[in-house]
Amino acid sequence: MKNTHTKWRIDFAQTVAQQFKERDGIAAIVVAGSTARGWADEYSDLELPVFWDRVPDDQARIEIAQALEGDFLFGFDGPSQEDQLLIGKL
């Protein structure tokens, strides 16, 4: 059963996924971490790995962050080719 912290994160993840719906090259979007396990608490982040058929170029990555009203914390970090975005305010 989902607790309230997990539920709103899942709801938010669905909203974020809708922003990606029309974008070319996405193979899958999943929820990971404590939210996926149903263990999120008030301090949990929301991990949303996006799996691409092909890695987006810098312009597409900037457009994605802007569409989500997010800020890059840092870009590709080594072989995992992982972007970290902050969506919303602390």
Side-chain angles (χ1 to χ4, degrees), residues 25-51:
I26 292 181
I29 302 172
V30 299
V31 174
S34 61
T35 301
R37 291 186 299 273
W39 300 345
D41 64 23
E42 62 188 291
Y43 303 106
S44 297
D45 63 356
L46 175 58
E47 299 168 52
L48 290 176
V50 178
F51 296 89

Side-chain angles (χ1 to χ4, degrees), residues 25 52-58 60-61 76 81 83:
W52 297 86
D53 290 328
R54 60 191 171 284
V55 177
D57 63 17
D58 288 343
R61 293 166 50 235
F76 292 141
Q81 295 188 329
D83 289 331

Side-chain angles (χ1 to χ4, degrees), residues 6-80:
T6 298
K7 183 183 179 332
W8 80 258
R9 285 167 176 79
I10 294 289
D11 291 345
F12 184 71
Q14 290 173 337
T15 299
V16 169
Q18 288 299 314
Q19 294 286 333
F20 284 88
K21 191 171 153 181
E22 300 299 321
R23 192 160 292 275
D24 289 335
I26 292 181
I29 302 172
V30 299
V31 174
S34 61
T35 301
R37 291 186 299 273
W39 300 345
D41 64 23
E42 62 188 291
Y43 303 106
S44 297
D45 63 356
L46 175 58
E47 299 168 52
L48 290 176
V50 178
F51 296 89
W52 297 86
D53 290 328
R54 60 191 171 284
V55 177
D57 63 17
D58 288 343
Q59 184 58 41
R61 293 166 50 235
I62 290 167
E63 290 171 5
I64 290 166
Q66 289 173 341
L68 297 171
E69 297 179 16
D71 298 311
F72 277 106
L73 298 180
F74 54 86
F76 292 141
D77 69 341
S80 66

